Every structure is written in C-alpha cells, then in structure tokens.
Amino acid sequence: MKVIIRHEAELAALLQHQPAFTGIAGLNIASSDFRHWTCEGRDIQIMHVAIIGKSGYGKSSLVNALIGHNVMKTSAIEACTREAQNAMFRIRDGQYLAFADVPGIGESAQCDEKYLSMYQDLVRKSDVVVHMLRADCRDYAIDEAAFARLFPDRASRRKVILAVNGCDKIEPLSRQTVRGPSDRQWANVLEKIRELGPRFAGVKHIIPCCANPAWRLELLSEAITVMLEEAARVTLAVAA
C-alpha cells in the first residue's frame, strides 16, 4: 500500500522530545516480509505503529503530540486526513520506526468501506495498533464494529492499545485552566475504562490521555515501546 512520508528524522530527535521511547534505540530488528516497505525508491524495514479510529477523535493531533512536530494537518471542523501518512524516525541504516496517521471512519458507509480496507492492509504490516476512542463519547457502535472486523480473535488483539483521548472533555466540564481532567472528571474516566474493557476484550492496554494539551502521553509511549520490544523478540525467535 502507498504511504506518504510527512516527516523524517533521526530517532534521537524523537527521544529528545519523548524519552519514554528510549528502549527502541537498542532493538534488534529481524528482517521480515511484513516489515518490508518501499518508500521513495528505498527498500527499508519499518517497525510500524498505526493510529486508527473515528474521524474527529484526534488521531492527527496525537501523532503530532507524540513526535513533537505539527506535521499532520488537524481541524476541529472537517476531516483532514484522506490517505495514510507516516512520520518516520531512522533507528539505524535501513531500519525505521514509523507512526501512521490514517483517514477516520464514521463519515459515511461508502468511505468507511474504503478506509477499513486500508486499515486491514495497514494492520497486517504494523507491529502496534493504537485504536483511538473518545472519553466524552457515549456511542461506540462504529468503533466496536471496526474493532471486530480488524481484530477478529484474541491473537490479533495482542498488538492493540486503546487510547482514550479527550479525558478533559468528559463531564463534568471544568472552566479551570488545568492540564488534564479534574478529580471529578477522572472518576468518570475510570468508570469509562471499566465499561470499555468488556467491549474491547483481549486488549491489554487501555490508556486515558489527552493529545491537546498533551497529558499522560508518556504512559502511551511506554506501552508502545513495550509492545514494540515484544514484537522484535518474537520476530527474532521466528528468524532463529
């Protein structure tokens, strides 16, 4: 599948912004077919982190916050992402870490079919999938249907992290200028997480966060790193 490169830098630049990714620098990445990509004429191996979810959930904002650069276009009014696009960081020659931002589902049935097909291709070539939800959302029917289609069994769900964005937008809304949810909001966030667990069974990590302003993203980064380390060990064992 074709992916547009929106940003490319050395891994050191990412670690300076988000030290929680430090473990990635020492990964021994075995070559594999599913990690092989041809990008701008280069044959490279990519450890891929795909960010998926409904339109307007903050996927682009999350990628920007994780990498410390506003390279993915965002809008509070209209959907901005129409194709898969990567922010890439070179680990060593020929080996990269990439964060993929993709179009959001939920705009129309026709678009959803197109984008879910894209998701399926991307999920197959990703080591970690961050499935974004919203803390202030009550209807998760579209999210659950997509999850069931993309990850039909517990084995496929081992690579999934649920990132519950917008924790500062859940009721009761606060006028205080604080970073992250208030105590009362946090209590409701915890209740929301307890509710989501059975709906998205088989997912090990459910992480509440805010993309903008950035809040608890170091915990999300740590979870991504742990899962990338596990994926690297698995492929090394298979290669051996």
Side-chain angles (χ1 to χ4, degrees):
M1 64 176 296
K2 181 180 179 181
V3 177
I4 295 173
I5 299 175
R6 292 294 186 200
H7 180 75
E8 186 171 345
E10 296 293 317
L11 181 64
L14 175 65
L15 302 186
Q16 186 175 9
H17 169 69
Q18 185 51 269
F21 287 121
T22 298
I24 294 168
L27 287 184
N28 187 358
I29 305 171
S31 295
S32 61
D33 289 340
F34 89 91
R35 287 205 186 104
H36 174 264
W37 293 73
T38 300
C39 296
E40 298 181 350
R42 297 172 292 169
D43 289 323
I44 59 178
Q45 292 283 313
I46 296 179
M47 294 208 80
H48 220 268
V49 180
I51 317 293
I52 68 171
K54 281 180 67 177
S55 180
Y57 272 12
K59 298 182 300 300
S60 300
S61 295
L62 180 68
V63 174
N64 289 340
L66 284 174
I67 70 175
H69 291 278
N70 292 324
V71 296
M72 305 300 180
K73 186 179 178 183
T74 64
S75 172
I77 300 173
E78 60 182 357
C80 293
T81 309
R82 294 299 182 188
E83 51 205 340
Q85 44 193 346
N86 271 355
M88 294 177 39
F89 297 90
R90 192 179 75 91
I91 302 172
R92 59 186 64 90
D93 286 346
Q95 296 184 342
Y96 288 78
L97 168 68
F99 298 89
D101 184 24
V102 297
I105 57 175
E107 293 184 50
S108 69
Q110 183 178 7
C111 286
D112 281 0
E113 185 56 39
K114 173 184 176 182
Y115 293 156
L116 283 169
S117 294
M118 177 194 296
Y119 283 12
Q120 287 178 306
D121 290 341
L122 193 60
V123 162
R124 280 192 290 268
K125 291 181 70 66
S126 294
D127 294 277
V128 178
V129 180
V130 178
H131 189 167
M132 288 196 67
L133 303 175
R134 288 282 303 191
D136 56 342
C137 180
R138 295 183 180 182
D139 181 4
Y140 293 101
I142 292 176
D143 306 282
E144 291 179 83
F147 180 79
R149 173 172 170 175
L150 296 170
F151 312 104
D153 51 45
R154 285 187 175 266
S156 61
R157 296 174 187 182
R158 291 173 186 160
K159 66 168 66 177
V160 180
I161 297 172
L162 288 185
V164 185
N165 189 28
C167 291
D168 58 339
K169 303 297 190 296
I170 198 170
E171 294 290 345
L173 295 178
S174 174
R175 295 183 180 273
Q176 298 178 4
T177 56
V178 295
R179 184 167 170 261
S182 66
D183 290 344
R184 292 175 65 194
Q185 286 177 310
W186 179 240
N188 287 337
V189 168
L190 293 178
E191 181 61 33
K192 175 73 67 172
I193 291 173
R194 285 190 287 270
E195 172 194 341
L196 292 173
R199 293 190 180 196
F200 298 87
V203 174
K204 183 178 180 180
H205 300 281
I206 303 179
I207 299 178
C209 62
C210 296
N212 186 21
W215 176 75
R216 289 174 64 96
L217 295 187
E218 69 281 358
L219 297 181
L220 177 59
S221 302
E222 288 170 4
I224 291 172
T225 301
V226 167
M227 294 180 73
L228 288 174
E229 290 171 338
E230 176 61 24
R233 285 194 293 269
V234 168
T235 50
L236 280 174
V238 171

